[in-house]
Amino acid sequence: QSVLTQPPSVSAAPGQKVTISCSGSSSNIGNNYVSWYQQLPGTAPKLLIYDNNKRPSGIPDRFSGSKSGTSATLGITGLLTGDEADYYCGTWDKSLSAYVFGSGTKVTVL
Amino acid sequence: QVHLVQSGAEVKKPGASVKVSCKISGYTLVELSIHWVRQAPEKGLEWIGGFDPEHGETIYAQKFQGRVTMPEDTSTDTAYMELSSLRSEDTAVYFCAVSPPINLPTWFDPWGLGTLVTVSS
């Protein structure tokens, strides 16, 4: 089991908004930066959000990140069919002395 | 712009070792912190280990300690991940990825395309 908990799946119609939660603890999210990754089918993960809420160059502002306490959230607005992918959160865990990923969330555009 | 090129797919028997390479271009290896992440079929991402620039050493997830090494060849800007005593559960795609070269990993970007390692008798 992952130490970071994500919902297995979320879905919405094109143009709508989805949010993906990532729940952890004080040993990980509570005291470290969170990043988010998008993994399209059959491809390598791609960084979407780093340091809780920053977007790398080239990532559209439809993607946003936030953190509060021991939880983080990824938001995707204006859903496109091309957003169908698996999304993972990640952060350093001090207790485990390891980088940990969330369990992953599959986004489906209805 | 950093670019990572990984070696090709491998098929190994249980008990054998595998060595996956990750060739860096656009930067030199000494400027980067390389990490390795794997993904078993239909499963999530799992961090294996990587270089901790703050302490100048390679760190490994406890699960892999004693079974994995991550040597680097700075003359060719190539990083390696060698996993020994392979078992069927090690069948996965292995990714190399770049982490900010300042402290413990906070994010990974970019990623290599991945190397499929299949362990089967």
Side-chain angles (χ1 to χ4, degrees):
Chain A
Q1 289 95 320
S2 302
V3 299
L4 303 181
T5 302
Q6 298 180 231
S9 63
V10 297
S11 60
Q16 297 301 300
K17 173 182 179 178
V18 295
T19 60
I20 301 171
S21 60
C22 176
S23 177
S25 68
S26 58
S27 71
N28 43 66
I29 292 178
N31 284 284
N32 290 290
Y33 286 117
V34 176
S35 55
W36 288 90
Y37 305 86
Q38 176 193 61
Q39 187 175 32
L40 297 169
T43 70
K46 175 184 176 181
L47 180 67
L48 280 182
I49 298 289
Y50 68 99
D51 291 356
N52 302 332
N53 54 20
K54 297 181 174 65
R55 281 177 288 105
S57 173
I59 301 300
D61 59 7
R62 299 188 300 107
F63 296 91
S64 64
S66 64
K67 187 182 104 168
S68 178
T70 59
S71 292
T73 301
L74 174 71
I76 311 174
T77 59
L79 263 181
L80 303 173
T81 55
D83 294 333
E84 286 202 332
D86 293 322
Y87 293 81
Y88 296 89
C89 57
T91 188
W92 182 260
D93 189 295
K94 184 178 181 180
S95 296
L96 296 174
S97 293
Y99 193 91
V100 291
F101 291 97
S103 43
T105 299
K106 183 176 184 59
V107 169
T108 300
V109 182
L110 301 172
Chain B
Q1 192 92 350
V2 180
H3 190 55
L4 310 177
V5 177
Q6 297 189 223
S7 49
E10 303 262 13
V11 179
K12 296 292 183 181
K13 293 193 182 305
S17 298
V18 69
K19 193 172 186 178
V20 179
S21 67
C22 176
K23 168 74 174 171
I24 315 299
S25 61
Y27 278 75
T28 62
L29 196 49
V30 296
E31 299 175 281
L32 305 173
S33 177
I34 300 297
H35 288 253
W36 293 86
V37 175
R38 77 178 186 180
Q39 185 171 37
E42 305 304 316
K43 299 294 186 182
L45 303 172
E46 182 177 33
W47 178 78
I48 303 170
F51 187 71
D52 171 11
E54 183 176 8
H55 298 95
E57 60 183 4
T58 303
I59 52 177
Y60 305 111
Q62 185 173 16
K63 173 179 179 177
F64 300 99
Q65 284 183 6
R67 207 161 65 93
V68 69
T69 60
M70 295 177 180
E72 296 183 342
D73 184 345
T74 55
S75 68
T76 60
D77 290 320
T78 303
Y80 299 90
M81 189 283 305
E82 185 163 24
L83 188 62
S84 61
S85 302
L86 289 169
R87 35 214 188 223
S88 59
E89 309 90 86
D90 294 317
T91 293
V93 175
Y94 289 75
F95 298 100
C96 59
V98 174
S99 177
I102 50 177
N103 50 25
L104 291 169
T106 55
W107 45 263
F108 301 112
D109 181 55
W111 296 59
L113 295 183
T115 297
L116 175 62
V117 175
T118 303
V119 183
S120 173
S121 54

